[in-house]
Structures are given as C-alpha cells and as structure tokens.
Amino acid sequence: MSQPPPPGDQPGSGQQPPRYGYPPQAPNPYAQAPTQPPGAQPPPSPPGPYGPGPHGYNPYAQAPTQPLPGYGHQPYPRYPQPPKRGKGAVVGIVAAVVAAVLVAGAGVFLATVGDDAPSDAPGKDGGSPSAAGPSAGDGPRTARVLWDKRAVRPPKSEITAQVAEAWFTGDSVVKTMPDALRSFDIDSGKENWSIPLPGDSCPGPGSAANDRLVLQYGKGCDSVLAVDIARGEKLWAKKLPSPNGRTTHLYSKIALTGDTAAVSWIGGSVAYRISTGAVLWEPKAGSRCVDKGYQGGTALIAVVECGGYGGEAYVQGLSEGGAKKWSWQVPNGSSVHSVISVDPVVVGLSAGSSLMTDIVYLDGGRMKSRISLGAGGAEATYRIRCEDNRCTNVAVDGTTIYLTTKLHAGSGDASRRTNEVAALDLATGKRKWLAEPDQERELRIVGIRNGEVVVYQRNTYDQPGSLLRLTPASRELTPLMHLPEAGTDIENDFLDMTSGCWLYRDRFFLTSDRVSASTTLSDRSIVAFG
C-alpha cells in the first residue's frame, strides 16, 4: 500500500513474468540452510507508509457499510488455496503439460485448494454445500462423458487467451472463456448465464468469496468487474488506478478475503470492498514500500518490498481493512517466489535461482521451519506448478503434505513415464512414506476429500485415465472412478495444453488454462465426467 517502484525496478519481461522479490543474487548463502533458527524473530520493520512497518495504520480504510461476510503466458508463480475436509469436496489442480515448475530436494511443498469454502463443502472457489462422495468402502465407479464445451478463439493478435480458473456453486460450474464468464449446469452442460469480458484475457482469483468474484478485463486488463456467481449478476465495474499514466495492468494478482478484493500489478495496487466497490486502500505517494502481491482465502497475505532494488522484502498478514497484523522479513539473498498457502502460511522462496529453492512455514510472523528444495529444475525430486494465483499438484491434510515425485522411466517399458505420491511432514521436511500406482502412468494430485488423497492417473493416447484414492492408513492407491474409453480423445485434448482437474459432487472436470488463436490447437475449454 505504497508508491510503485520506479521503472528501473520493475521485475520481469517478455514471456518470463516477474516474481515477487528482486532478481536473484549470487552467490547465495541461503539455498541449503536457514539463516535463522525456527521461531527466531526478524529484525524490526522499517518505517512504512502507515506506521512502524510497511503495513501500519491505514488512512484509506473506511467503516463497513454492511456486515462483512469471502496476457499472455505466465509460467511462474501461482497461488494455492488450501483445502478443507467435508462433504462433496471441490478439489482442483492445474495439470501442467508445459511450463511446469519443477521443485527439487528432500523438502516439502504445500499447496491445495479451498480456503474460502464452507466447512461442509471443502475445496476450491467458494462452492455451495454439496453431496457426500463415495465412502472408502464403495467400489470404483465407471463414468461417462456428461458434456463438453468449446471456447470462442481469441483474436490472432492476442495469440493465446488466459482462461485458467473455474469456480463451483450449487449445481453450477463457472468458467472464464476468452469472450465471457459463463456458468454451466454440472449435469447437462446447459448454459445458465454469461457476462461479457471484453478486451484482453486476464487472470482471475484462485477462489471466490461468498459466491462473489472480482475479475480483471479490458484493454491491458485495465478494469475490474465484481460478479455474484450464484445469481449471474454483475455487481459493479470500474477502471483500475493508473499511477504515473500507466495504462496496462499486467502480471497481476487478485486475492479475495471476506468482503475485500486486493489487486496488484506491475506498478501499482488497490483494494476494494466487494459488496460496494468502495476503495479500501491504495498506495500512498512517497512511500518507500510497495505491495507486490496478495493471496487470499481464509486470510489475507501481502508481499511487500521496501527501498527498491536491493531493499527489504516482507510477508505480512493483513486485516480485511488493510491493517498489518504481523510481518516477517525475507532473508537477504532470497525473494518471494509464491505464497503457497494462507492457512497455514507457507511461502516459496527463490535463492540464487529463478526457481523455487526453499519453503518457509510461518506462524504469527515467526518462521517455524525453512526447508531446502535444492536447485530445482527438470531433475527435481518433486513436481509442482505455481502460476497466476495458486500452486497446484500438492495437497495438505493437517501436518502431512502430499506431492508427486518427478517423472521417470517405468520398470518394464522405458518409453512409459511414471511417478509416485509422497507423504511428507511439514514441520520436519522428512518423508513419511511413498505410494506407488499399480500401473506405470503419470499421477497428479487433485486434492483431499474425506481424509483421502484424490489422484488423477493420466490417460495414455490409447487408454483412458482414472481417479484414484489414497488412504493414508493403508498407503495404497485404489480406483475411485474409471473414465470411459469414449472419452480418451477428449482427455487427449487436455494433454496438449495446461489443464485443470476438479472433483465436485462426484463429477470430474478437466478445464483448459488457455485457448490458442491457432486452429491447429484444440479449442475445447471444459469437459465433465460423471
């Protein structure tokens, strides 16, 4: 909530988007070992725009008007939404076929879905209470293709339209398309409503808040729109601020918590009250600290930089009005790659690398553990993807983190690629156990449902995929849902692009993350199995 950095301090360019923090510094003394013991307090925060730290008293905060209730190709960072357990989980991953972030080392990576979901409908994006899925004693189901939808291609000048997110509420799934926000019935695929999104394709929040979204749209993503996705009603729309005459608002982060929507982009930030569109805070002229990004859900987290290039960086917990609740200073030589989870607070750091090299677990602004992930890259021990507003292909249940290992050749056929699911302890970073599939295929974690890990076993070009359940007590992967052979060609369409995997009310969804203007690539946007 302070003045944007000068143009020379703006990170990133071209196809490689900026990360929170500054360009890597070498040599890096932090890549393998923590700089302070768990529980140690960081140095005092420098004076900020609103008080003793980067987020102190907020002069822009307004009294609530009602009770508070929840581009281009960007291969890095993406924020997660941690899951909660209960009935009818909506659980989601983004299954990256390209541009996956690979994280190495014997460490832990935490990210899952659904900070903002009701307790009886855990999972992604503010879904309504949903029916319970099959219990552990139920046999596997054989699904069929319920429906699928194709998207309107973006203009050739845009090349690729970003349409990453999906949200669920009641009997509906809401999906961004290049031309509109659309709601479909989960059983029939009938379109319930649509709201036009003119201009460029822009990122959306990782989760809804009480069935409400705030989305960017317009030329250069210069505008925001608030929508009630349960009713298909547009609440308000307005232009984003344009400090220093800047007309584009790219590489943005949108976080929703309660009645607050916080938006950041290269060169600026602002926060709105979702219900009314009133401005809650924006940068204060002359401040040396800049909000570089936000993550929302059950809590609101900000990444703050002070002093320009080479200055200090902080991770801070904020109230819905923007007041600082706690602050943790990022060690010198490291930058924030991604906020992985807000509850618990887990942050991915980059130290001497453009890849994620470390994970820190924070509690009330105190670092409880710092876990080295090694150098990252294609030879990573664990595979994770962070993009836009969430990190995926991992899940957390209590203090256990589930993630997949890197792909490797199968034992019988070197041409087959396979991997495993690892369970690790967040506090110690040590692996508890490893679960191997009975078929040598790629596994991707969907999320947690009823205490079990749901895993998507990807299809081959001639065999359909399936959903597996992993019960921690047995440490075995067993079938949950067999996808139909008739759907193999449809699954193949989602192998050629980044794609999302979602389980909601016993329906399994694959969604595209982006749609190409090229007719040589698939325009299929979503498919439902059930």
Side-chain angles (χ1 to χ4, degrees):
M1 300 190 299
S2 47
Q3 187 177 10
D9 292 338
Q10 295 167 8
S13 62
Q15 295 298 304
Q16 171 65 39
R19 293 175 296 104
Y20 298 142
Y22 299 99
Q25 304 173 16
N28 169 29
Y30 302 104
Q32 301 297 329
T35 58
Q36 58 190 48
Q41 285 282 22
S45 301
Y50 310 127
H55 277 281
Y57 168 72
N58 173 18
Y60 298 99
Q62 304 172 17
T65 57
Q66 62 183 59
L68 296 179
Y71 89 58
H73 180 53
Q74 294 195 132
Y76 302 105
R78 188 175 191 133
Y79 285 150
Q81 300 300 321
K84 295 181 172 61
R85 292 188 290 172
K87 297 180 180 179
V90 184
V91 286
I93 71 164
V94 172
V97 178
V98 294
V101 180
L102 301 178
V103 184
V108 177
F109 200 79
L110 165 65
T112 36
V113 294
D115 278 352
D116 202 48
S119 60
D120 58 349
K124 187 139 179 40
D125 306 329
S128 298
S130 52
S135 67
D138 292 336
R141 302 182 176 191
T142 298
R144 61 185 178 90
V145 178
L146 297 176
W147 53 270
D148 70 293
K149 299 291 180 180
R150 296 180 181 272
V152 175
R153 293 189 185 275
K156 292 184 178 180
S157 59
E158 191 173 357
I159 304 176
T160 300
Q162 181 174 318
V163 291
E165 301 299 343
W167 303 270
F168 296 82
T169 178
D171 294 326
S172 303
V173 54
V174 179
K175 182 77 175 75
T176 49
M177 302 282 194
D179 61 333
L181 181 69
R182 300 183 185 276
S183 171
F184 302 100
D185 182 87
I186 61 174
D187 287 320
S188 67
K190 178 182 178 182
E191 185 170 304
N192 300 315
W193 52 262
S194 66
I195 295 176
L197 295 174
D200 297 328
S201 299
C202 311
S207 64
N210 296 325
D211 284 338
R212 297 178 301 181
L213 292 176
V214 175
L215 302 171
Q216 281 181 269
Y217 71 99
K219 184 177 181 180
C221 300
D222 64 350
S223 301
V224 285
L225 169 74
V227 177
D228 184 317
I229 61 173
R231 297 184 294 174
E233 178 184 343
K234 183 168 71 173
L235 302 177
W236 50 265
K238 58 177 57 183
K239 291 279 190 180
L240 286 167
S242 298
N244 302 323
R246 185 183 300 275
T247 58
T248 58
H249 300 71
L250 302 179
Y251 300 115
S252 57
K253 302 292 172 189
I254 303 179
L256 308 184
T257 297
D259 201 28
T260 297
V263 188
S264 66
W265 60 92
I266 295 179
S269 62
V270 67
Y272 299 103
R273 178 166 285 118
I274 300 174
S275 56
T276 65
V279 174
L280 293 173
W281 72 79
E282 56 186 325
K284 182 178 180 180
S287 172
R288 66 184 297 270
C289 296
V290 180
D291 285 6
K292 301 296 292 185
Y294 302 103
Q295 177 56 33
T298 56
L300 183 60
I301 304 296
V303 177
V304 180
E305 294 177 0
C306 300
Y309 180 79
E312 312 89 41
Y314 299 85
V315 178
Q316 299 183 345
L318 305 182
S319 71
E320 289 189 22
K324 181 179 66 176
K325 300 167 69 174
W326 54 263
S327 182
W328 177 76
Q329 184 171 354
V330 179
N332 292 334
S334 297
S335 60
V336 176
H337 183 286
S338 302
V339 174
I340 301 164
S341 170
V342 302
D343 184 16
V345 179
V346 181
V347 179
L349 300 181
S350 294
S353 171
S354 62
L355 302 173
M356 191 181 300
T357 58
D358 298 87
I359 292 292
V360 293
Y361 165 46
L362 307 178
D363 184 11
R366 293 176 177 268
M367 183 176 70
K368 295 297 185 180
S369 64
R370 176 167 179 162
I371 304 162
S372 173
L373 300 175
E379 296 304 315
T381 301
Y382 302 113
R383 186 170 186 171
I384 189 69
R385 180 172 180 251
C386 292
E387 186 172 327
D388 302 334
N389 289 301
R390 56 192 173 110
C391 293
T392 55
N393 198 27
V394 290
V396 61
D397 190 21
T399 58
T400 301
I401 308 301
Y402 301 93
L403 60 161
T404 59
T405 63
K406 69 175 180 179
L407 289 171
H408 56 83
S411 59
D413 185 350
S415 65
R416 286 187 176 272
R417 309 294 289 174
T418 187
N419 58 350
E420 299 79 31
V421 176
L424 297 95
D425 187 272
L426 177 61
T428 65
K430 295 181 179 180
R431 192 169 75 188
K432 294 181 175 182
W433 43 265
L434 198 68
E436 299 182 1
D438 59 353
Q439 299 182 51
E440 292 185 333
R441 297 194 199 177
E442 180 181 349
L443 302 178
R444 291 174 181 156
I445 293 174
V446 179
I448 302 290
R449 190 191 64 167
N450 300 332
E452 298 177 329
V453 185
V454 178
V455 178
Y456 174 42
Q457 187 172 55
R458 207 180 78 174
N459 67 300
T460 64
Y461 280 99
D462 59 351
Q463 292 181 318
S466 61
L467 289 185
L468 308 177
R469 53 156 56 106
L470 173 57
T471 304
S474 67
R475 305 178 184 181
E476 293 182 354
L477 288 158
T478 57
L480 175 65
M481 179 187 293
H482 296 298
L483 301 185
E485 290 187 11
T488 302
D489 287 344
I490 293 178
E491 284 188 85
N492 286 340
D493 274 350
F494 293 92
L495 297 181
D496 297 330
M497 63 186 77
T498 54
S499 59
C501 305
W502 317 82
L503 182 63
Y504 180 69
R505 293 193 176 184
D506 295 336
R507 286 80 167 173
F508 180 59
F509 299 84
L510 291 173
T511 60
S512 61
D513 269 20
R514 45 186 56 87
V515 176
S516 174
S518 172
T519 56
T520 62
L521 298 176
S522 174
D523 60 353
R524 188 170 270 118
S525 180
I526 182 171
V527 59
F529 299 92

